[in-house]
Amino acid sequence: MATGTGDWARRVTRPELAVFVSGVASMGLEILAGRVVAPQFGNSIYTWGSIIGVFLAALSLGYHYGGKRAAERANHRRLARLLLVTAVYVAVLIFAGDLLLRSTTVFPLPSRFASLPAVILLFGPPTYLLGFISPYAADLSSTEDVGKASGHIYAVGTVGSILGAFGTTYLLIPWLGIDQIAFVFGVLLVVTAAVVLGRSPQRRSVFAVAAVGVVLVAALGSGAVGVSAHGRVVYHTQTPYQELEVADLGGTRTLYLGGQRHSAMDRDRPTRHVFEYTRYFHLPYLFAEDPDDIDRVLFVGGGGFTGPRRFAAEYNATIDVVEIDPEVIRVAKEYFHLEESPNLTVYNAGGRQFLRDTDRTYDLIVLDAYKKDKVPFQLTTVEFMRLAERRLTDDGMLYANIISAPSGPAGQFYRAEHRTMEAVFPRVYTFPTHDGSVVQNIEVIATKSATRVSQSTLRERNQQRDVGIDLGDEIRDYTIDDPPEDVPLLRDDRAPVDSLLEPMVGQRYVLQETAPGNASAG
């Protein structure tokens, strides 16, 4: 058996190795492209459609032109050159990827096609070059049967692609940042080029390999200074679910998920509400007949745990938090003063899964798991709303933090979610957090009680009750919208969330901060 394995290993030729590595790199870059493009253009089905389409088109062009030139130009030196030039482009992505990404936002394209120029510019050229590898390798194969040689070469490339897909998804992304993953692929290409050149390469070929290696190291070093536009980077990683960054700017520590601000903490006053919208989390204590009746609260989505930490410190209630990303939980404990206690418990699970499996009931469920560009559709449907309704007590409330616009095309997701909640709950109240129809946080409260709570009642209760924060400004945003008719009712079998989010692509998201010295900021 050992002899057979050794014979197989000796039969692996340099062109076959190049094909295998090109498969690893092309599929690895395709998986990585989603993480690179998402902060600017979102992570919708349209973004992934653009990525898949561009990679297939670039590979096809590479196969076509590589096949036409292979008979005349294919040799080991040119094969190595293709690998090195691809590695140089990877270095460019590491060094200037963000600049290139931002430069593509000037194209006046419909929102669903907005990511296409970025994917073409950033990933089209290296994928095109990698497409040359297989036909060159097939021509260099020692097998005289063309069909057999081609089949073998493309099988080797496919195996490499499988390894690249699984390795990037399950190994590299959970452990390394985007630049470091790109660096790994660049080094792999350079090393493979050196192997392809053989034991006695020309002096200029050796110089080229060394030079590209230096360029890769320099590119990675240029991006490792620990500072970004967000401030001083305290921590950065790729989780299985998203890019995560913690950055300090002034006295504020901010959690970025997928390149977007998600939570913030005043480092001197950790329970102060830095973002205006988090103040609205306290409104259910005015909607309740007796605020002391809110004994059990569930937060679906943790982030920086702003709401749960404040609730645990402020109220005599048991707080449960369910967060699907274990790295978010770990980072919140290390960087955002999250401490579990008898009245604050954190569960690592999906929100819907948790509600389905638990037998507990809650007086308030806070749904804080939506992003501007990425919304788990399973937490938006009428079936989910019914599940949440069953897990609420008789006077319980569902609170949803929705990122959308109050009206206009960019408000389609809000209107669809409003309609879906109204199909389950007798009363639905809306609190836009900003004037106008800009994309913003819209706070929606759905109650099991059919009795309407008026704006004047909320004002009176705000004056009479001590809920730890003055909500007078928030109450002024009180709105009761008419049932929307231009959007679908979201169901498990039809929840076109990506289409509803599409009009928000490229729109400015207004996220207001409270004044640090303002006592009413809580």
Side-chain angles (χ1 to χ4, degrees):
M1 180 65 70
T3 302
T5 303
D7 291 342
W8 179 87
R10 284 193 293 272
R11 287 198 300 268
V12 176
T13 65
R14 288 177 286 164
E16 288 170 349
L17 176 63
V19 169
F20 178 80
V21 170
S22 71
V24 172
S26 62
M27 186 55 70
L29 288 173
E30 184 170 350
I31 299 296
L32 192 63
R35 293 301 179 96
V36 173
V37 176
Q40 187 69 42
F41 298 102
N43 200 31
S44 71
I45 191 172
Y46 302 112
T47 300
W48 275 108
S50 296
I51 291 170
I52 294 170
V54 167
F55 270 78
L56 289 175
L59 282 173
S60 297
L61 284 173
Y63 294 151
H64 175 70
Y65 287 108
K68 291 178 66 174
R69 299 176 184 178
E72 298 177 358
R73 305 189 62 182
N75 57 49
H76 289 87
R77 185 167 55 84
R78 286 196 172 98
L79 195 61
R81 186 185 301 169
L82 286 168
L83 294 167
L84 290 176
V85 174
T86 305
V88 169
Y89 204 93
V90 170
V92 172
L93 293 181
I94 297 172
F95 179 75
D98 187 59
L99 180 63
L100 294 173
L101 182 67
R102 294 176 187 275
S103 71
T104 61
T105 61
V106 299
F107 294 97
L109 295 173
S111 55
R112 66 178 59 187
F113 302 112
S115 64
L116 196 55
V119 179
I120 292 173
L121 178 62
L122 271 66
F123 296 98
T127 309
Y128 170 73
L129 292 171
L130 290 173
F132 276 69
I133 302 293
S134 292
Y136 272 43
D139 189 78
L140 293 171
S141 173
S142 58
T143 304
E144 294 183 0
D145 188 325
V146 176
K148 184 177 180 180
S150 298
H152 179 68
I153 287 297
Y154 286 102
V156 170
T158 301
V159 172
S161 296
I162 293 170
L163 181 63
F166 283 109
T168 305
T169 302
Y170 295 108
L171 182 62
L172 296 180
I173 285 179
W175 292 102
L176 299 175
I178 290 175
D179 289 348
Q180 288 137 344
I181 296 172
F183 178 76
V184 168
F185 291 134
V187 170
L188 185 61
L189 292 167
V190 171
V191 171
T192 304
V195 173
V196 168
L197 287 170
R199 295 181 179 178
S200 301
Q202 296 178 359
R203 181 177 297 179
R204 62 179 181 179
S205 296
V206 174
F207 175 79
V209 170
V212 175
V214 170
V215 168
L216 277 168
V217 172
L220 183 65
S222 69
V225 294
V227 177
S228 74
H230 303 157
R232 184 177 68 87
V233 177
V234 178
Y235 181 73
H236 180 272
T237 190
Q238 294 286 331
T239 81
Y241 299 93
Q242 56 210 331
E243 179 188 16
L244 184 154
E245 180 180 280
V246 179
D248 288 346
L249 186 61
T252 301
R253 172 163 291 172
T254 304
L255 174 68
Y256 291 84
L257 296 178
Q260 298 177 7
R261 289 188 294 175
H262 187 278
S263 304
M265 180 185 72
D266 187 322
R267 297 171 66 190
D268 295 326
R269 298 169 57 195
T271 60
R272 181 178 77 84
H273 290 293
V274 175
F275 292 151
E276 286 278 3
Y277 80 87
T278 59
R279 292 170 47 84
Y280 293 75
F281 286 0
H282 300 267
L283 281 170
Y285 284 86
L286 300 182
F287 275 89
E289 285 293 332
D290 184 348
D292 292 333
D293 289 340
I294 302 180
D295 293 323
R296 293 193 66 91
V297 180
L298 173 67
F299 281 81
V300 179
F305 289 75
T306 301
R309 287 189 291 107
R310 180 63 181 262
F311 273 40
E314 193 76 37
Y315 301 125
N316 183 25
T318 300
I319 315 299
D320 290 340
V321 188
V322 56
E323 167 59 52
I324 195 170
D325 193 337
E327 184 66 5
V328 168
I329 298 173
R330 191 196 68 78
V331 165
K333 289 180 178 179
E334 183 170 352
Y335 298 103
F336 289 89
H337 295 200
L338 172 64
E339 295 182 3
E340 294 191 68
S341 63
N343 69 324
L344 176 57
T345 306
V346 180
Y347 298 90
N348 178 208
R352 184 161 175 172
Q353 174 192 5
F354 180 86
L355 284 172
R356 185 186 64 233
D357 295 342
T358 188
D359 57 359
R360 299 171 186 164
T361 56
Y362 294 92
D363 303 298
L364 171 63
I365 296 176
V366 179
L367 185 56
D368 191 23
Y370 299 161
K371 299 181 191 174
K372 176 190 173 187
D373 62 338
K374 188 177 181 182
V375 174
F377 88 91
Q378 68 272 18
L379 301 182
T380 68
T381 63
V382 68
E383 289 85 357
F384 171 78
M385 298 302 166
R386 288 171 182 157
L387 173 61
E389 193 269 345
R390 291 196 299 271
R391 294 295 181 263
L392 288 169
T393 55
D394 290 342
D395 295 323
M397 290 170 275
L398 175 67
Y399 179 107
N401 174 34
I402 297 173
I403 300 178
S404 188
S407 59
Q412 290 182 27
F413 174 63
Y414 155 66
R415 295 197 297 277
E417 193 69 334
H418 188 285
R419 179 183 178 187
T420 303
M421 294 172 76
E422 275 196 325
V424 176
F425 292 92
R427 290 286 181 182
V428 177
Y429 307 83
T430 298
F431 293 82
T433 61
H434 194 275
D435 295 333
S437 296
V438 297
V439 176
Q440 59 188 275
N441 293 82
I442 302 175
E443 312 309 312
V444 181
I445 298 175
T447 66
K448 293 181 72 171
S449 172
T451 303
R452 178 185 172 188
V453 180
S454 66
Q455 187 177 36
S456 59
T457 299
L458 293 176
R459 288 198 192 98
E460 293 173 5
R461 292 175 178 176
N462 184 54
Q463 294 174 353
Q464 297 167 359
R465 298 176 179 178
D466 180 13
V467 297
I469 188 170
D470 180 10
L471 296 170
D473 291 340
E474 288 69 28
I475 293 170
R476 280 197 286 270
D477 297 324
Y478 175 101
T479 305
I480 298 179
D481 285 334
D482 294 329
E485 299 178 355
D486 63 335
V487 288
L489 181 71
L490 302 180
R491 299 183 179 276
D492 281 353
D493 63 350
R494 185 176 182 270
V497 172
D498 289 325
S499 297
L500 298 170
L501 296 174
E502 179 196 343
M504 288 195 286
V505 174
Q507 297 284 329
R508 187 170 71 96
Y509 167 36
V510 178
L511 180 58
Q512 296 187 123
E513 296 188 17
T514 60
N518 187 354
S520 68

